[in-house]
Amino acid sequence: MKKEKIELDLQCKNHIRGVRDTIYLLDGKWKTIIISHLYYIGKMRFMDLKRQIDGIASKTLSKELKDLEMNNLVIRTQNNTMPVSVDYELTEFGKSLHSIVDTMGEWGIKYRKELWQATH
């Protein structure tokens, strides 16, 4: 017996499309971490950001920052210094992710607490 596809109203379809677009923009394990650091700390140089994020390779950080810049979430500013230094910061659009970052952090804290209580 073949099950029928459930038909969603336009509001539900748009909401799910929005979730899909958000997941696409924040895809991977590093983008949300990078955004979180830039959100809580503010403008950072590449190497400072790399030192803050445990386990990320320079090549990966560079690629993720390029993706975030391409999607208008991060601004890259090249400083006229010797040697050349580059700063990264969230755009206003990137800063609008604050409620997502805050909610994910709060949920993660609750989840970790729940796990700890369940195992102790």
Side-chain angles (χ1 to χ4, degrees):
M1 173 189 254
K2 187 175 180 179
K3 291 192 176 188
E4 290 185 35
K5 184 176 178 180
I6 298 171
E7 196 58 40
L8 300 172
D9 65 24
L10 185 59
Q11 184 178 2
C12 289
K13 285 181 181 179
N14 285 337
H15 187 79
I16 291 169
R17 185 178 300 122
V19 170
R20 187 181 342 200
D21 290 346
T22 304
I23 289 170
Y24 173 78
L25 283 174
L26 303 178
D27 185 36
K29 77 179 198 181
W30 297 112
K31 286 187 180 90
T32 308
I33 302 295
I34 293 166
I35 289 168
S36 296
H37 277 83
L38 293 174
Y39 171 67
Y40 288 113
I41 297 172
K43 184 188 295 188
M44 296 181 75
R45 293 204 168 139
F46 181 88
M47 286 308 294
D48 293 332
L49 190 54
K50 184 179 180 320
R51 276 189 279 280
Q52 286 291 318
I53 302 174
D54 292 332
I56 193 167
S58 293
K59 185 176 178 179
T60 302
L61 178 58
S62 179
K63 179 200 170 298
E64 298 294 354
L65 286 166
K66 284 178 186 173
D67 286 351
L68 291 168
E69 183 183 10
M70 183 183 73
N71 287 302
N72 194 32
L73 298 174
V74 168
I75 297 172
R76 178 185 188 275
T77 305
Q78 186 169 325
N79 301 309
N80 199 12
T81 58
M82 283 305 229
V84 173
S85 63
V86 177
D87 291 322
Y88 293 91
E89 64 185 309
L90 293 176
T91 62
E92 287 305 312
F93 189 57
K95 290 175 186 174
S96 72
L97 291 165
H98 69 90
S99 61
I100 293 172
V101 170
D102 287 344
T103 301
M104 287 176 71
E106 290 167 10
W107 188 90
I109 291 166
K110 287 178 188 173
Y111 176 72
R112 186 176 289 262
K113 185 178 178 181
E114 222 19 70
L115 274 180
W116 191 84
Q117 288 175 347
T119 59
H120 290 90

